Amino acid sequence: MEMETRMKKRIRVEANTEPSESPFEALSEEILFLILDLLDSNPLDKKSFSLVSRSFFAVEARHRRSLTPLRPELLPFVLSRYNSISHLNLTLCPYLSDASLSSIASLLGPSLRSINLSGSRSYSHRGIESLANKCFNLEEIDVSNGVELTDEAAAAIGRMSKVERVRMGRCKKVTDLGIGCIAVCCPNLKLLCLKGCVGVTDLGVALIAVKCRKLRSLDVSFTMITKKCLPAIAQLPNLEDLCMTGCLGINDKALVTLKQGFKSLQALDMSNCQNISQASVSSILQKNPSLHHLNLSYCSPVNSMLSGLHGVFKLNSIKLDGCHVSTDGLKSLANSCISLKELSLSKCSGVTDEGISVIVAKHKDLVKLDATCCRYITDLSLAAITSSCASLVSLSMESCTKVTWEGFRLIGRHCPKLEELNLTDTDLDDEGLTSLSQCQNLTSLKIGICLKITDEGLIQIGRSCPHLQELDLYRSIGITDKGVSEIARGCSNLETICMSYCTSISDESLKCLSNCARLNTLEIRGCSLVSSVGISAIAARCCNLSKLDIKKCYEINDAAMLSFARFSHNLRQINLSYCSVTDVGVSALASISCLQVVTMLHLSGMSADGLAAALLMCGSLMKVKLHVSFKPFISPVLINRVESRGCMFQWLNKPFQVQLESSEVWKQQSHDIFVE
Amino acid sequence: MKQIIGEPGIDLSSDSKMDLKLTRNSESFHKPNSSNHNLNSFNQASQYFPNLSPTNFLSRAENLQQNLKTKSTNSFEPNLNSGMATQNPPLDWDPHAMLSNLSFLEQKIHEVQSLVQSIIDQQAEFSSRPSELATRQQLATADLTCIIIQLISTAGSLLPSIKNTLLSNNPALRQLVNPDFNNNLKCEGLIRNFPETARNSEYEDLLRNLDNEADWMKEPNPPLQSDIVDANPIDEHDLKESDDGDAEREHLPPGSYIVLQLEKEEILAPHTHFCVICGKGFKRDANLRMHMRGHGDEYKTPAALAKPSKEPGSDVHPVTRYSCPFAGCKRNKEHKKFQPLKTILCVKNHYKRSHCDKSYTCSRCHAKKFSVIADLKTHEKHCGRDKWQCSCGTTFSRKDKLFGHVALFQGHTPALPMDEVKASGSGQGNDDMTEDLGGYNGNFASEECLTSMDVKGIDESRAYFSPMNFDGFGALDEFGRGGFDLEDNPFAFIPSGFSQRSGDS
């Protein structure tokens, strides 16, 4: 594969330049840089480029600005090659010691501008200190998930005087003192994320607001802040984005008594703030005329909240997920806002056809509408939506079971711009699907749990939606190889496909899908007809494959694993429970250098020794799910060793269950649960 | 005891008591502070809490009326004086006092408002915990009562005519200037004087309830609580608040008072009041009087138990001030800019602090030393875990104080306790969480903060600027925090126990 690409590249380069003894030497560095600028789509292209010649190799190394290494142990070598890296993303390195951070600091020094450490929790404040000492141009640092980081780490971040963006979500041990150090020493701070920093209180946040006047974006979600720090935040002159998700200490009184609004605020997220109601929402909207985005998901009942809205607001997007929204409320919202573009009513109770009709009649520019689980809306709503919102791009109607083929026909006829459509668990049939195929711009189509659809409808989609990137056919049991091969033929850009529990799917589908070179996610859970032959075809031709779920594909055996080991160098995540894989297959799998998440339950052919060998071999693992019965047979020393590399073990105790549940029964059960 | 007679400021040969009274009153109007010439040191406390005293005073007065002669009640007597003297000048009303009264009322009403609001907000929660609801309701009642009393007293001060008739009718009230005057009489008089509402038995009942309520004192009702703490004369910690520095506020013209100078031995003697029968020594005359009861019934009469020199005739005490025996001290009468000390206690504390060895060492930090044991106790309250420190070395007893300081000054950062990182990392976070949740639930914590902050404020300002603290100087350089300029630091002279520690680590 690589050879082929390289050959192509070479041919192309040769064609573009005049033939000479060393044609590549004739190209100046500027030209090579321009070429490299255009090679961003596929990481392998750059790899091939650098293999052309020594000078190309060097030029590629000098050109590269951002790096996402897979293995921390190779960092010194990689960084000595790429010594002008300015953006380093270490999220894929589960184990980062202070020593590796210190070597990064000394190798990159002042050229480093941004670093992301959010995937690891094994470094301490010393590592950050070494970064602070040597990389004095650092502008962005992400230490999220550093649950063991203390105030000293925050103080070390504070020493990076040029830092502008700091993300430290879930740093639970950081207190106001550490935040205070950042506040005082980083006057240029523009973005700060304190999500889930439960040690931070009003004092720290207020100090941030007092000292960091350039702050544009502040995330204080899931902290213990109360009204005491709000006046200080409200005074920030440049604050545009404020996220207060799950701040239970924020109540109505805090917001209503706020004397002045947030002057420049554009986006406000108050989802899960359960102590706010009508009064505060009105007062916020009235004090912040420039507010564009408002998120009130899962707040207390929004019903009364919206009915009291008066005035004219510039809101573009509003999210009311999980709230109780009445028709009156939606009317009031429709009358108060000038032009809504995005509206999310996901899981809202009380949404009726009338409510939807009022909204869409007033806001014809609606681009995105989410009506997930609004179970009472019918074709009337769809008639209103389709007649007024011609520019609708995204529509989600999961579990809107009362909508019939008439409604789907309207979607297909009147929404040509539709790109994302979610009709999971609806009454969709082939006729509906055929009319949906008129939406030729579809990139994402989710039609899982639609038991009525068959190949007939899917063939229409495959023929007329060439841009489709994501297709979800979960438990749509009417689908067979015929439909999927038409999709594979028509939608060559397909990246994600889920065919779990489509029991009629066989190797034939996979052979066709292997033509979709961009495929990176494949879920065929419970497709018992699929064998190693089909999956090997995918492995051989879809080199971008990174997520694979082949649970309960009983026919898949070691042969498939061997082809993964040979071809799928990008495989990150695999679930092979119940497959007929033995020690051979498991150890073959372990040789994939970037494999991170593996679920291996009920592998009949796998022994404890084989598992141990595989665990030892696969250095990049971050998470392994195993059956608890293996635990006594794996030496604790080995477990410690693997865990010290940053891997987490999850020991599950799921019963062995071969029988697949019929999808009809499954759907009936899920509906019964809803009715109850 | 050596006595130096200065020129008395008041004409001792005034013919009538009434005239004398008027003179004194006019004087006190122009120089409000100088009317506090009693030896009682608690007028200082009342100066810090001018808006709180009337409430206290009136409720205490009621208390006395109800003959609830508990020990704690007695202990409030001195404060009654001060509250009386500063807040209710008998002939005219002080606009400043009025303003502070009104702002206190405003604050109080807000408190009640937020309290009631919190009850409404959390009605659902209360349904599961009825006892808490009852507590909140009690609190609201207490606050309302407080407001009513304050309102009455404020209104009362606006009725000078009534007061004047009262003064002329009631000869006992002519003694008002005398701080040692029997408080019962005056309070009673004032209350009788108030409009009908004041005598309403309902309010008296309320007051009685308040005082009888066993857990009332424990309630987080900030103003009342802090009042109690500060007015408690038994606690020596509070006595020291009448610091030598406070005397600077009064501007008695030289020679308008008598200057006393105690000898060093007298100052350092542990006890000043000795029993004439058994010779046992006491620090306080009140304790001596209590002790005397044990020597026979003749000491149990009200006259004997009353403070000495309370006889109505001898009310014309000359103003007395004290001089420090240490030559060259600013508090020594020979000094060019002599500033006298107000009370004997001031003399004692001043002498120990300025001219004695610091023999008391803090058992926690082993760094700070004190010569007055009360100072040590105050320090020990805040030493250790609860110490919040700035990079400049200044320490704070409260986190919000530290953050206020950091917010105010450029380049100052909160300092991390190096040896306690682990402890503070986990434990502290939890504390803060509960504290803050409490704050938003009921507003109690926040109000408590307000008052206790004031209390601490006194301690702190004294602690930072008093010369006592110049012990552990240096080692600031070792701290070496980036972006922090020592020269700009207004507190650079402050010692830093922390910097020493960080140097070690």
Side-chain angles (χ1 to χ4, degrees):
Chain A
M1 188 72 201
E2 262 169 48
M3 281 298 286
E4 277 176 30
T5 329
R6 200 196 323 166
M7 287 309 292
K8 274 186 211 159
K9 201 72 55 181
R10 183 170 288 179
I11 290 161
R12 204 169 75 195
V13 170
E14 276 175 337
N16 287 347
T17 54
E18 291 195 13
S20 68
E21 273 191 8
S22 54
F24 306 124
E25 304 305 321
L27 293 168
S28 71
E29 192 166 309
E30 285 78 20
I31 293 175
L32 292 177
F33 269 31
L34 283 175
I35 295 171
L36 281 166
D37 284 342
L38 300 171
L39 286 182
D40 267 340
S41 57
N42 187 348
L44 291 179
D45 292 350
K46 278 188 180 170
K47 201 174 174 185
S48 314
F49 181 93
S50 63
L51 291 174
V52 171
S53 71
R54 265 174 200 281
S55 64
F56 273 43
F57 185 86
V59 164
E60 202 269 332
R62 279 198 296 276
H63 177 266
R64 190 179 275 273
R65 290 289 174 269
S66 68
L67 198 65
T68 311
L70 288 165
R71 307 276 288 271
E73 56 268 30
L74 299 175
L75 266 173
F77 306 103
V78 174
L79 292 181
S80 55
R81 175 178 163 194
Y82 296 106
N83 48 18
S84 52
I85 291 293
S86 56
H87 304 281
L88 192 57
N89 183 348
L90 297 169
T91 43
L92 300 177
C93 302
Y95 179 74
L96 276 176
S97 63
D98 288 336
S100 42
L101 285 184
S102 137
S103 72
I104 289 170
S106 47
L107 281 169
L108 292 177
S111 71
L112 193 65
R113 295 288 166 88
S114 99
I115 189 165
N116 188 338
L117 306 170
S118 62
S120 170
R121 45 181 79 174
S122 45
Y123 59 95
S124 76
H125 61 94
R126 292 197 183 82
I128 299 178
E129 267 161 20
S130 57
L131 284 174
N133 289 338
K134 300 215 171 115
C135 309
F136 38 82
N137 284 324
L138 210 59
E139 287 167 0
E140 180 172 11
I141 184 163
D142 189 340
V143 294
S144 300
N145 302 318
V147 284
E148 298 296 324
L149 292 181
T150 59
D151 282 340
E152 281 164 309
I157 292 175
R159 236 168 288 164
M160 305 168 182
S161 53
K162 288 189 181 172
V163 78
E164 289 179 3
R165 293 175 296 277
V166 177
R167 290 184 181 84
M168 42 197 310
R170 291 185 70 222
C171 293
K172 294 177 182 175
K173 288 192 175 174
V174 173
T175 71
D176 288 338
L177 295 181
I179 298 300
C181 293
I182 294 181
V184 171
C185 304
C186 307
N188 295 320
L189 208 62
K190 288 185 179 141
L191 181 147
L192 180 64
C193 174
L194 299 174
K195 189 173 185 173
C197 293
V198 287
V200 177
T201 70
D202 287 328
L203 293 172
V205 177
L207 192 65
I208 285 280
V210 167
K211 295 284 184 183
C212 307
R213 306 296 286 171
K214 294 179 181 171
L215 209 62
R216 286 175 190 276
S217 170
L218 179 63
D219 187 343
V220 286
S221 307
F222 302 104
T223 56
M224 292 300 168
I225 61 160
T226 68
K227 62 176 177 180
K228 282 185 225 159
C229 68
L230 277 186
I233 296 177
Q235 302 253 326
L236 279 171
N238 300 314
L239 191 69
E240 288 168 4
D241 188 355
L242 177 61
C243 184
M244 300 196 292
T245 303
C247 290
L248 301 181
I250 300 291
N251 56 12
D252 267 350
K253 213 185 146 208
L255 293 163
V256 174
T257 52
L258 209 58
K259 284 201 179 85
Q260 96 188 76
F262 309 87
K263 274 179 199 158
S264 51
L265 199 65
Q266 292 186 358
L268 178 63
D269 186 345
M270 309 231 315
S271 47
N272 285 302
C273 290
Q274 285 159 12
N275 294 317
I276 63 161
S277 69
Q278 147 91 43
S280 47
V281 175
S282 301
S283 89
I284 287 174
L285 285 173
Q286 258 136 26
K287 284 173 195 160
N288 301 282
S290 60
L291 202 63
H292 286 170
H293 305 277
L294 181 62
N295 188 346
L296 298 172
S297 310
Y298 301 99
C299 290
S300 53
V302 180
N303 186 10
S304 56
M305 212 184 265
L306 293 177
S307 57
L309 281 189
H310 298 296
V312 179
F313 311 119
K314 289 183 185 164
L315 279 182
N316 277 339
S317 116
I318 183 162
K319 278 193 168 197
L320 302 169
D321 300 1
C323 300
H324 176 77
V325 181
S326 70
T327 308
D328 284 345
L330 286 179
K331 273 183 193 164
S332 161
L333 183 70
N335 292 328
S336 305
C337 298
I338 300 172
S339 159
L340 275 183
K341 291 221 160 61
E342 292 182 20
L343 176 64
S344 179
L345 299 170
S346 171
K347 305 211 171 190
C348 286
S349 53
V351 176
T352 58
D353 285 336
E354 194 190 351
I356 296 273
S357 310
V358 169
I359 283 277
V360 295
K362 283 267 181 187
H363 301 278
K364 297 189 189 297
D365 294 336
L366 212 60
V367 171
K368 194 170 176 181
L369 178 64
D370 188 345
T372 302
C373 296
C374 295
R375 296 173 199 270
Y376 303 107
I377 64 172
T378 65
D379 291 343
L380 289 177
S381 288
L382 274 178
I385 292 169
T386 50
S387 62
S388 28
C389 306
S391 47
L392 205 64
V393 168
S394 166
L395 178 64
S396 176
M397 302 187 60
E398 184 182 337
S399 295
C400 293
T401 38
K402 289 192 175 177
V403 176
T404 67
W405 63 274
E406 196 79 52
F408 302 125
R409 204 168 50 86
L410 288 169
I411 296 179
R413 190 177 297 166
H414 297 290
C415 300
K417 291 186 179 171
L418 212 57
E419 289 175 15
E420 290 175 23
L421 184 60
N422 186 350
L423 298 174
T424 306
D425 195 13
T426 53
D427 223 15
L428 186 68
D429 54 10
D430 279 338
E431 203 170 337
L433 206 52
T434 309
S435 60
L436 286 180
S437 66
Q438 295 171 55
C439 308
Q440 299 193 345
N441 291 316
L442 276 181
T443 56
S444 162
L445 180 62
K446 294 186 178 173
I447 44 176
I449 327 179
C450 295
L451 304 188
K452 289 183 184 169
I453 58 171
T454 66
D455 290 336
E456 200 185 319
L458 203 60
I459 287 170
Q460 295 303 320
I461 294 288
R463 287 193 180 146
S464 46
C465 302
H467 304 298
L468 206 62
Q469 290 174 4
E470 185 180 4
L471 181 63
D472 185 358
L473 298 167
Y474 179 85
R475 279 191 198 269
S476 291
I477 45 172
I479 304 297
T480 69
D481 289 340
K482 212 172 143 196
V484 176
S485 27
E486 196 60 40
I487 289 286
R489 198 169 300 136
C491 315
S492 53
N493 289 329
L494 205 64
E495 290 176 7
T496 303
I497 186 164
C498 173
M499 300 182 292
S500 298
Y501 303 107
C502 295
T503 39
S504 320
I505 296 295
S506 73
D507 287 341
E508 203 55 42
S509 293
L510 296 190
K511 277 181 194 162
C512 297
L513 280 174
S514 66
N515 288 323
C516 304
R518 294 188 177 190
L519 197 70
N520 59 39
T521 306
L522 176 66
E523 288 183 40
I524 47 170
R525 190 181 281 207
C527 296
S528 43
L529 296 180
V530 173
S531 74
S532 290
V533 179
I535 206 76
S536 298
I538 293 279
R541 303 197 53 196
C542 305
C543 58
N544 286 328
L545 195 71
S546 63
K547 280 188 192 172
L548 184 65
D549 189 340
I550 48 173
K551 181 180 173 182
K552 295 200 177 180
C553 296
Y554 306 108
E555 298 295 315
I556 292 179
N557 56 27
D558 290 341
M561 300 303 125
L562 288 170
S563 31
F564 287 137
R566 188 170 165 209
F567 298 112
S568 300
H569 297 294
N570 287 316
L571 197 65
R572 303 266 168 82
Q573 198 172 326
I574 187 167
N575 183 344
L576 57 145
S577 307
Y578 293 95
C579 291
S580 311
V581 173
T582 67
D583 287 346
V584 178
V586 172
S587 49
L589 208 58
S591 70
I592 299 175
S593 61
C594 59
L595 197 65
Q596 289 174 337
V597 183
V598 182
T599 308
M600 296 187 285
L601 296 171
H602 305 299
L603 290 187
S604 50
M606 185 175 70
S607 70
D609 288 342
L611 176 64
L615 287 175
L616 208 54
M617 195 155 80
C618 197
S620 56
L621 279 178
M622 289 172 87
K623 194 174 185 179
V624 186
K625 292 188 186 177
L626 292 166
H627 197 269
V628 73
S629 60
F630 274 108
K631 199 173 181 181
F633 300 106
I634 310 280
S635 127
V637 182
L638 177 70
I639 291 180
N640 276 343
R641 163 92 183 94
V642 177
E643 276 177 341
S644 74
R645 291 191 305 210
C647 177
M648 284 198 311
F649 282 94
Q650 216 171 329
W651 302 98
L652 303 175
N653 192 12
K654 287 186 179 170
F656 184 73
Q657 188 186 9
V658 183
Q659 195 63 45
L660 279 184
E661 218 168 349
S662 139
S663 287
E664 286 95 344
V665 176
W666 187 86
K667 182 165 182 169
Q668 192 53 49
Q669 281 173 352
S670 75
H671 278 240
D672 291 346
I673 289 168
F674 164 63
V675 170
E676 276 165 21
Chain B
M1 188 183 284
K2 201 160 58 179
Q3 190 172 18
I4 296 122
I5 308 290
E7 289 173 41
I10 293 140
D11 189 4
L12 292 171
S13 61
S14 299
D15 355 16
S16 77
K17 284 175 185 171
M18 189 64 192
D19 285 352
L20 173 66
K21 164 113 200 62
L22 290 171
T23 337
R24 291 302 290 266
N25 282 335
S26 60
E27 181 190 296
S28 74
F29 178 62
H30 293 300
K31 290 179 285 183
N33 279 330
S34 65
S35 66
N36 293 339
H37 66 290
N38 56 336
L39 293 185
N40 167 19
S41 59
F42 304 103
N43 48 8
Q44 296 305 327
S46 73
Q47 279 168 7
Y48 287 117
F49 302 97
N51 46 356
L52 301 175
S53 308
T55 324
N56 186 38
F57 134 64
L58 274 173
S59 58
R60 296 299 143 212
E62 277 291 330
N63 211 2
L64 290 172
Q65 280 186 324
Q66 298 300 328
N67 287 327
L68 294 172
K69 290 194 176 174
T70 60
K71 193 177 176 186
S72 67
T73 315
N74 285 339
S75 71
F76 286 112
E77 269 184 62
N79 203 32
L80 295 180
N81 283 336
S82 62
M84 178 73 76
T86 51
Q87 293 302 311
N88 295 305
L91 270 189
D92 210 334
W93 61 283
D94 183 0
H96 294 288
M98 176 63 71
L99 193 64
S100 72
N101 282 348
L102 290 175
S103 59
F104 169 72
L105 270 171
E106 188 185 20
Q107 185 200 340
K108 203 71 198 165
I109 287 173
H110 280 304
E111 263 177 57
V112 185
Q113 211 173 0
S114 62
L115 180 58
V116 177
Q117 183 65 44
S118 79
I119 293 175
I120 295 170
D121 285 349
Q122 299 161 34
Q123 248 162 358
E125 287 177 43
F126 281 130
S127 60
S128 55
R129 284 171 293 164
S131 66
E132 200 172 325
L133 178 63
T135 319
R136 295 266 171 97
Q137 279 170 344
Q138 266 172 24
L139 266 174
T141 320
D143 279 357
L144 283 170
T145 317
C146 180
I147 289 167
I148 291 161
I149 292 164
Q150 176 69 25
L151 202 60
I152 291 165
S153 79
T154 312
S157 66
L158 272 173
L159 301 167
S161 57
I162 300 174
K163 214 177 264 178
N164 281 341
T165 47
L166 172 81
L167 284 171
S168 52
N169 291 343
N170 190 347
L173 282 179
R174 290 173 199 163
Q175 318 297 334
L176 270 176
V177 266
N178 188 337
D180 301 323
F181 180 69
N182 187 333
N183 302 293
N184 288 353
L185 268 178
K186 184 185 175 184
C187 305
E188 214 172 343
L190 270 175
I191 288 170
R192 292 230 172 103
N193 198 20
F194 288 147
E196 291 301 307
T197 45
R199 269 185 285 157
N200 195 328
S201 60
E202 212 177 302
Y203 294 131
E204 286 175 11
D205 284 342
L206 274 174
L207 287 169
R208 216 174 307 145
N209 286 342
L210 278 182
D211 286 315
N212 292 341
E213 202 66 61
D215 54 352
W216 171 61
M217 308 271 250
K218 295 171 207 151
E219 286 296 340
N221 193 349
L224 294 173
Q225 197 181 34
S226 63
D227 242 7
I228 290 159
V229 170
D230 287 304
N232 192 350
I234 292 172
D235 190 356
E236 205 183 23
H237 298 185
D238 301 289
L239 288 183
K240 76 180 160 37
E241 278 171 12
S242 61
D243 203 346
D244 29 298
D246 295 322
E248 289 169 22
R249 290 192 198 163
E250 58 172 8
H251 300 285
L252 290 177
S256 66
Y257 49 84
I258 300 168
V259 177
L260 291 177
Q261 182 169 298
L262 281 75
E263 287 308 325
K264 184 186 163 194
E265 290 71 26
E266 281 182 288
I267 291 171
L268 296 180
H271 301 131
T272 46
H273 305 279
F274 297 94
C275 173
V276 287
I277 297 166
C278 66
K280 188 171 184 325
F282 294 91
K283 284 183 185 172
R284 295 179 187 82
D285 183 49
N287 294 351
L288 171 63
R289 276 178 281 132
M290 296 304 275
H291 163 84
M292 293 308 280
R293 294 183 304 179
H295 285 303
D297 284 340
E298 65 267 34
Y299 298 104
K300 285 181 183 171
T301 60
L305 284 175
K307 289 188 181 177
S309 74
K310 301 291 188 291
E311 314 88 80
S314 64
D315 60 326
V316 229
H317 272 308
V319 185
T320 314
R321 289 293 178 267
Y322 297 87
S323 159
C324 169
F326 193 88
C329 173
K330 202 179 179 184
R331 304 299 196 172
N332 183 270
K333 60 182 188 292
E334 308 297 340
H335 195 276
K336 261 187 275 176
K337 296 176 179 173
F338 170 54
Q339 288 187 325
L341 293 154
K342 249 185 189 171
T343 66
I344 295 179
L345 202 75
C346 290
V347 177
K348 285 185 153 198
N349 283 342
H350 161 77
Y351 192 84
K352 283 189 199 162
R353 282 177 187 149
S354 309
H355 313 299
C356 293
D357 288 341
K358 292 164 185 164
S359 46
Y360 303 111
T361 312
C362 173
S363 59
R364 296 197 195 185
C365 63
H366 301 289
K368 293 247 182 185
K369 291 179 175 178
F370 303 91
S371 47
V372 179
I373 196 154
D375 290 350
L376 171 69
K377 283 180 181 168
T378 312
H379 164 79
E380 279 185 336
K381 269 190 213 163
H382 308 297
C383 182
R385 201 180 93 69
D386 287 337
K387 204 153 85 175
W388 304 95
Q389 190 149 11
C390 175
S391 57
C392 67
T394 320
T395 57
F396 299 86
S397 57
R398 295 173 54 96
K399 195 161 89 167
D400 50 352
K401 286 290 202 179
L402 166 65
F403 276 73
H405 167 88
V406 168
L408 200 62
F409 295 99
Q410 288 291 322
H412 289 212
T413 58
L416 311 179
M418 294 291 185
D419 45 352
E420 288 167 357
V421 163
K422 292 285 177 211
S424 66
S426 52
Q428 228 165 269
N430 294 339
D431 289 354
D432 294 335
M433 265 163 64
T434 49
E435 182 193 305
D436 279 7
L437 282 178
Y440 104 75
N441 275 337
N443 288 328
F444 298 126
S446 60
E447 299 302 338
E448 197 170 27
C449 285
L450 278 179
T451 9
S452 53
M453 206 152 72
D454 292 345
V455 179
K456 294 274 168 54
I458 300 157
D459 282 352
E460 275 169 15
S461 60
R462 186 187 52 69
Y464 295 141
F465 298 106
S466 97
M468 306 298 304
N469 291 342
F470 275 87
D471 36 7
F473 186 82
L476 273 173
D477 295 5
E478 289 172 65
F479 189 60
R481 191 161 284 279
F484 159 54
D485 192 356
L486 277 179
E487 290 182 1
D488 289 342
N489 175 8
F491 296 103
F493 60 91
I494 300 290
S496 157
F498 170 70
S499 52
Q500 288 174 330
R501 265 189 285 150
S502 74
D504 294 340
S505 65

